[in-house]
Amino acid sequence: TDEETGRALDSVDPFTYLAGVRYRATGGFLGGVTAEIRARGAARKSRVSAPGIVQPEAWTTFDALLSYDVTPTASLNLAVYN
């Protein structure tokens, strides 16, 4: 908030986040496989200085990544980014 006018500061981004989970198999049938899921998003911009300013809605995207270590120095990777 602008301390002089009391209005919201339009240059301040809303809350954003990034979270992920990764699993790496170390032995057995799935040895050398790594799987990862990521989520990235932002909260709705709820405070603006004037009524005509666009207020983006909240959003979240998910990414999925998979890799397989063919040898100690080579891997195959597959990723789907949203």
Side-chain angles (χ1 to χ4, degrees):
T1 305
D2 186 325
E3 292 180 2
E4 292 178 14
T5 65
R7 289 185 171 181
L9 295 174
D10 298 324
S11 61
V12 176
D13 290 334
F15 174 78
T16 61
Y17 66 90
L18 173 64
V21 176
R22 179 184 296 162
Y23 173 76
R24 177 174 289 173
T26 57
F29 176 72
L30 293 176
V33 172
T34 302
E36 183 175 355
I37 297 175
R38 298 177 190 162
R40 183 176 178 206
R44 180 179 184 272
K45 182 144 177 102
S46 57
R47 296 191 63 216
V48 293
S49 63
I53 296 177
V54 175
Q55 294 177 293
E57 294 296 324
W59 57 271
T60 301
T61 61
F62 294 94
D63 302 328
L65 299 89
L66 185 67
S67 70
Y68 175 69
D69 296 332
V70 180
T71 69
T73 58
S75 65
L76 295 173
N77 301 294
L78 174 68
V80 177
Y81 296 102
N82 180 1

